[in-house]
PDB file of all heavy atoms in Angstrom:
ATOM      1  N   ARG A 145      98.305  87.836 108.846  1.00  0.00           N
ATOM      2  CA  ARG A 145      96.944  87.917 109.363  1.00  0.00           C
ATOM      3  C   ARG A 145      95.995  87.735 108.175  1.00  0.00           C
ATOM      4  O   ARG A 145      95.752  88.670 107.411  1.00  0.00           O
ATOM      5  CB  ARG A 145      96.719  89.267 110.045  1.00  0.00           C
ATOM      6  CG  ARG A 145      95.370  89.390 110.732  1.00  0.00           C
ATOM      7  CD  ARG A 145      95.317  90.662 111.576  1.00  0.00           C
ATOM      8  NE  ARG A 145      94.151  90.649 112.418  1.00  0.00           N
ATOM      9  CZ  ARG A 145      93.039  91.354 112.178  1.00  0.00           C
ATOM     10  NH1 ARG A 145      92.969  92.120 111.104  1.00  0.00           N
ATOM     11  NH2 ARG A 145      92.025  91.290 113.011  1.00  0.00           N
ATOM     12  N   LEU A 146      95.462  86.556 108.035  1.00  0.00           N
ATOM     13  CA  LEU A 146      94.643  86.225 106.877  1.00  0.00           C
ATOM     14  C   LEU A 146      93.159  86.344 107.229  1.00  0.00           C
ATOM     15  O   LEU A 146      92.657  85.638 108.105  1.00  0.00           O
ATOM     16  CB  LEU A 146      94.944  84.799 106.408  1.00  0.00           C
ATOM     17  CG  LEU A 146      96.398  84.529 106.022  1.00  0.00           C
ATOM     18  CD1 LEU A 146      96.594  83.059 105.692  1.00  0.00           C
ATOM     19  CD2 LEU A 146      96.814  85.394 104.841  1.00  0.00           C
ATOM     20  N   ILE A 147      92.461  87.244 106.548  1.00  0.00           N
ATOM     21  CA  ILE A 147      91.016  87.390 106.707  1.00  0.00           C
ATOM     22  C   ILE A 147      90.406  87.381 105.312  1.00  0.00           C
ATOM     23  O   ILE A 147      90.821  88.152 104.443  1.00  0.00           O
ATOM     24  CB  ILE A 147      90.653  88.675 107.469  1.00  0.00           C
ATOM     25  CG1 ILE A 147      91.062  88.522 108.937  1.00  0.00           C
ATOM     26  CG2 ILE A 147      89.166  88.987 107.361  1.00  0.00           C
ATOM     27  CD1 ILE A 147      90.696  89.685 109.827  1.00  0.00           C
ATOM     28  N   SER A 148      89.454  86.508 105.091  1.00  0.00           N
ATOM     29  CA  SER A 148      88.844  86.362 103.769  1.00  0.00           C
ATOM     30  C   SER A 148      87.396  86.832 103.779  1.00  0.00           C
ATOM     31  O   SER A 148      86.736  86.832 104.827  1.00  0.00           O
ATOM     32  CB  SER A 148      88.898  84.905 103.313  1.00  0.00           C
ATOM     33  OG  SER A 148      88.011  84.100 104.081  1.00  0.00           O
ATOM     34  N   ARG A 149      86.912  87.236 102.619  1.00  0.00           N
ATOM     35  CA  ARG A 149      85.489  87.596 102.511  1.00  0.00           C
ATOM     36  C   ARG A 149      84.613  86.378 102.768  1.00  0.00           C
ATOM     37  O   ARG A 149      83.570  86.474 103.421  1.00  0.00           O
ATOM     38  CB  ARG A 149      85.191  88.162 101.123  1.00  0.00           C
ATOM     39  CG  ARG A 149      85.903  89.455 100.816  1.00  0.00           C
ATOM     40  CD  ARG A 149      85.434  90.053  99.489  1.00  0.00           C
ATOM     41  NE  ARG A 149      86.402  91.030  99.016  1.00  0.00           N
ATOM     42  CZ  ARG A 149      86.490  92.276  99.462  1.00  0.00           C
ATOM     43  NH1 ARG A 149      85.660  92.687 100.393  1.00  0.00           N
ATOM     44  NH2 ARG A 149      87.403  93.099  98.983  1.00  0.00           N
ATOM     45  N   THR A 150      85.030  85.230 102.253  1.00  0.00           N
ATOM     46  CA  THR A 150      84.198  84.032 102.406  1.00  0.00           C
ATOM     47  C   THR A 150      84.138  83.590 103.860  1.00  0.00           C
ATOM     48  O   THR A 150      83.076  83.236 104.374  1.00  0.00           O
ATOM     49  CB  THR A 150      84.727  82.892 101.515  1.00  0.00           C
ATOM     50  OG1 THR A 150      86.117  82.676 101.800  1.00  0.00           O
ATOM     51  CG2 THR A 150      84.573  83.235 100.043  1.00  0.00           C
ATOM     52  N   GLY A 151      85.293  83.611 104.543  1.00  0.00           N
ATOM     53  CA  GLY A 151      85.304  83.238 105.952  1.00  0.00           C
ATOM     54  C   GLY A 151      84.529  84.217 106.806  1.00  0.00           C
ATOM     55  O   GLY A 151      83.799  83.835 107.736  1.00  0.00           O
ATOM     56  N   SER A 152      84.669  85.514 106.507  1.00  0.00           N
ATOM     57  CA  SER A 152      83.920  86.531 107.244  1.00  0.00           C
ATOM     58  C   SER A 152      82.426  86.345 107.034  1.00  0.00           C
ATOM     59  O   SER A 152      81.634  86.442 107.983  1.00  0.00           O
ATOM     60  CB  SER A 152      84.352  87.931 106.781  1.00  0.00           C
ATOM     61  OG  SER A 152      85.721  88.157 107.034  1.00  0.00           O
ATOM     62  N   ALA A 153      82.030  86.079 105.798  1.00  0.00           N
ATOM     63  CA  ALA A 153      80.604  85.918 105.497  1.00  0.00           C
ATOM     64  C   ALA A 153      80.006  84.727 106.248  1.00  0.00           C
ATOM     65  O   ALA A 153      78.868  84.794 106.736  1.00  0.00           O
ATOM     66  CB  ALA A 153      80.405  85.750 103.992  1.00  0.00           C
ATOM     67  N   GLN A 154      80.768  83.635 106.359  1.00  0.00           N
ATOM     68  CA  GLN A 154      80.246  82.458 107.063  1.00  0.00           C
ATOM     69  C   GLN A 154      79.887  82.781 108.506  1.00  0.00           C
ATOM     70  O   GLN A 154      78.790  82.479 108.973  1.00  0.00           O
ATOM     71  CB  GLN A 154      81.277  81.327 107.032  1.00  0.00           C
ATOM     72  CG  GLN A 154      81.256  80.480 105.778  1.00  0.00           C
ATOM     73  CD  GLN A 154      82.181  79.282 105.900  1.00  0.00           C
ATOM     74  OE1 GLN A 154      83.338  79.407 106.279  1.00  0.00           O
ATOM     75  NE2 GLN A 154      81.664  78.113 105.582  1.00  0.00           N
ATOM     76  N   VAL A 155      80.820  83.401 109.220  1.00  0.00           N
ATOM     77  CA  VAL A 155      80.588  83.636 110.644  1.00  0.00           C
ATOM     78  C   VAL A 155      79.582  84.764 110.866  1.00  0.00           C
ATOM     79  O   VAL A 155      78.753  84.707 111.790  1.00  0.00           O
ATOM     80  CB  VAL A 155      81.909  83.914 111.385  1.00  0.00           C
ATOM     81  CG1 VAL A 155      82.523  85.247 110.988  1.00  0.00           C
ATOM     82  CG2 VAL A 155      81.690  83.852 112.886  1.00  0.00           C
ATOM     83  N   ILE A 156      79.592  85.795 110.030  1.00  0.00           N
ATOM     84  CA  ILE A 156      78.662  86.908 110.202  1.00  0.00           C
ATOM     85  C   ILE A 156      77.237  86.464 109.875  1.00  0.00           C
ATOM     86  O   ILE A 156      76.285  86.816 110.589  1.00  0.00           O
ATOM     87  CB  ILE A 156      79.109  88.105 109.347  1.00  0.00           C
ATOM     88  CG1 ILE A 156      80.420  88.682 109.915  1.00  0.00           C
ATOM     89  CG2 ILE A 156      78.030  89.176 109.292  1.00  0.00           C
ATOM     90  CD1 ILE A 156      81.129  89.654 108.984  1.00  0.00           C
TER      91      ILE A 156
END
Side-chain angles (χ1 to χ4, degrees):
R145 186 171 191 257
L146 301 175
I147 289 183
S148 70
R149 296 187 198 280
T150 54
S152 299
Q154 276 187 311
V155 69
I156 292 167

